[in-house]
Amino acid sequence: MKDMGWDELVPGAALFSFEQTVNYNIAEVQPEDRTYAETNSKNAYVGDWRVIKPVWNSEICIDCQNCWIFCPDSSIIARDKEMKGVDYDHCKGCGICVSVCPTNPKSLLMFNETEKNEDALAKWPEKKKKGESNE
Ligand code: SF4
Ligand code: SF4
């Protein structure tokens, strides 16, 4: 982001999410096709302080969309009611998506940030029996 002079700042120093010149209905355009303003966090990698990350197991996922609804950072990628993955550029590693995942075993689990996703998937737990914790 380029430095702005005092006379370039807008009143109230508001940072707009989208370029002011967009000539389309933002609500009808998929997030990756929108023209974000330079100051929008969409254009910034903000996941560098995450120490644990959610890994998604597509083999178990039932596309319930709970994780998409509850993620406080819009970091669950879904299209047409199908889970597509995690946006690691913006995910903060809070673990809420894992908490709300209803499958057994869970389709999202937290792993160390340095763990490769394929290694995490190879360690996926078995289905829990009745009475055992599903965390
Ligand atoms: S860990 Fe938190 S920020 Fe990351 S995808 Fe899950 S709910 Fe969203
Ligand atoms: S909450 Fe779990 S089962 Fe539901 S869409 Fe997300 S990963 Fe899939």
Side-chain angles (χ1 to χ4, degrees), residues 4-104:
M4 297 175 81
W6 66 268
D7 54 347
E8 295 175 282
L9 292 173
V10 294
L15 302 178
F16 295 104
S17 287
F18 300 100
E19 298 295 350
Q20 298 300 291
T21 54
V22 294
N23 55 0
Y24 54 82
N25 184 344
I26 287 169
E28 294 173 353
V29 177
Q30 293 287 9
E32 65 271 22
D33 296 328
R34 296 173 187 165
T35 316
Y36 291 92
E38 196 180 4
T39 48
N40 191 300
S41 66
K42 183 78 178 170
N43 290 325
Y45 172 70
V46 289
D48 54 347
W49 49 265
R50 186 181 56 236
V51 292
I52 52 174
K53 64 178 177 181
V55 175
W56 175 51
N57 189 328
S58 61
E59 300 290 315
I60 307 167
C61 176
I62 58 172
D63 291 318
C64 72
Q65 307 293 289
N66 267 7
C67 54
W68 181 79
I69 292 168
F70 283 94
C71 173
D73 226 344
S74 301
S75 298
I76 296 292
I77 304 165
R79 283 288 172 279
D80 300 325
K81 299 181 183 170
E82 281 186 15
M83 167 76 167
K84 296 293 182 190
V86 178
D87 171 5
Y88 287 122
D89 284 352
H90 297 92
C91 166
K92 304 299 188 303
C94 69
I96 291 173
C97 53
V98 172
S99 298
V100 299
C101 181
T103 58
N104 178 8

